[in-house]
Amino acid sequence: MQHAFDATIAAEAVGRYDFAARTSPAYANMVSPFGGVTAATVVAAVQSHPEALGSPLALTINYLAPLEQGDWTLALRPLRTNRTNQHWSFTAHQGETAVLSGTAVLGLARQTWGENEAKPPAADAPEAYPVFEFPEFATWAKNYESRFIVGALAAEPADDSTSTLWIRDNPPRPLDHPALTALADTFFPRVFLRQGSYMPAGTVSLTVYYHATKDELAAHGEAHVLATARAARFGHGHFDQYGQLFGQDGTLLATTHQLVYFKDPK
């Protein structure tokens, strides 16, 4: 049986660089579908293209307008292919409305010197922490098994915006670049944690840098990912949040940075 994630990110090629996609109610969020699965759809489409070179290295996706439930179209454009990396741009529309724009970089993995300088936060095994139950309106969150170490949603304001948790697809699914893309966006807006309440908020721009190779992700399998995120500054209606995702062996799989809009509740 096909995993719900794979069914949702499946986009049909309808031209040399054009794809037809459709949202899934299973990944609905407060206003639009979960942005992480939308970004994963873009990554899967780029990877599937016969001209794609290697694996994802970077993705920047700008959410221009709310994506409604239903059909949407994705247009890819190759910009340049070098010996070891390749640059793409993309736009997406629903009807006449532009809803997404961005760029993707693919590349070939090469044998070079390496060092995992980023260190994972301290954590016991995933089973040491209970599964967190998100509120009903966050439909998309039911597709993930989230076990918070620190920084779970609470009814009281927090002095720090850091959340650290073990997370994986529910039901479990082998990790690949589209799934890693979606995981990079599973951090709820940091303002929720600082204010101790929900408020209007949404991602404006999301960037993911992929450090793990295809083989490293295959070796990771269905295991939990150790994810941690925090914000840098809140104010003037926006904030940024930065995240890191580690394998269970401490290997850094991806880093992510996003700009988030928020509005004080009236």
Side-chain angles (χ1 to χ4, degrees):
M1 184 176 179
Q2 188 179 35
H3 196 284
F5 180 80
D6 295 296
T8 302
I9 68 171
E12 178 186 1
V14 293
R16 184 175 179 184
Y17 297 115
D18 299 320
F19 291 79
R22 185 172 181 80
T23 64
S24 169
Y27 285 89
N29 203 359
M30 289 184 287
V31 176
S32 298
F34 168 47
V37 81
T38 303
T41 304
V42 174
V43 171
V46 175
Q47 281 190 289
S48 73
H49 199 278
E51 297 177 26
L53 175 75
S55 298
L57 294 177
L59 173 78
T60 294
I61 182 169
N62 306 307
Y63 299 92
L64 308 181
L67 188 65
E68 305 290 341
Q69 288 290 344
D71 297 330
W72 56 286
T73 58
L74 174 66
L76 305 178
R77 294 294 179 266
L79 301 176
R80 183 178 176 86
T81 298
N82 301 314
R83 291 179 61 187
T84 60
N85 58 63
Q86 184 181 63
H87 299 260
W88 296 75
S89 67
F90 61 87
T91 55
H93 288 76
Q94 274 191 318
E96 298 299 318
T97 303
V99 292
L100 304 171
S101 70
T103 59
V105 182
L106 306 182
L108 299 174
R110 297 177 293 123
Q111 292 297 321
T112 66
W113 173 85
E115 176 67 31
N116 203 110
E117 189 165 313
K119 303 304 178 186
D124 293 328
E127 295 73 23
Y129 308 95
V131 175
F132 184 81
E133 297 295 334
F134 280 87
E136 284 298 317
F137 65 76
T139 304
W140 67 269
K142 297 179 176 63
N143 295 284
Y144 293 95
E145 178 189 315
S146 301
R147 298 173 178 268
F148 280 87
I149 301 159
V150 295
L153 283 167
E156 297 294 330
D159 294 330
D160 184 83
S161 64
T162 303
S163 287
T164 301
L165 69 156
W166 288 109
I167 188 169
R168 66 176 174 180
D169 286 280
N170 178 34
R173 176 191 178 281
L175 190 62
D176 56 15
H177 284 98
L180 187 60
T181 303
L183 286 173
D185 193 38
T186 54
F187 302 107
F188 58 80
R190 303 292 86 202
V191 71
F192 291 0
L193 191 59
R194 288 300 309 271
Q195 293 295 306
S197 66
Y198 300 103
M199 59 183 62
T203 302
V204 177
S205 184
L206 167 71
T207 295
V208 182
Y209 297 111
Y210 306 90
H211 304 292
T213 65
K214 184 177 180 180
D215 290 342
E216 288 173 332
L217 294 182
H220 182 92
E222 298 180 352
H224 291 81
V225 169
L226 181 60
T228 187
R230 66 168 300 148
R233 180 183 174 182
F234 301 88
H236 313 296
H238 293 87
F239 64 92
D240 68 321
Q241 58 187 49
Y242 172 76
Q244 298 174 313
L245 297 99
F246 296 87
Q248 292 200 353
D249 63 353
T251 298
L252 183 65
L253 305 176
T255 51
T256 179
H257 212 144
Q258 65 177 270
L259 177 70
V260 185
Y261 158 90
F262 75 97
K263 184 178 180 181
D264 289 329
K266 295 184 186 297

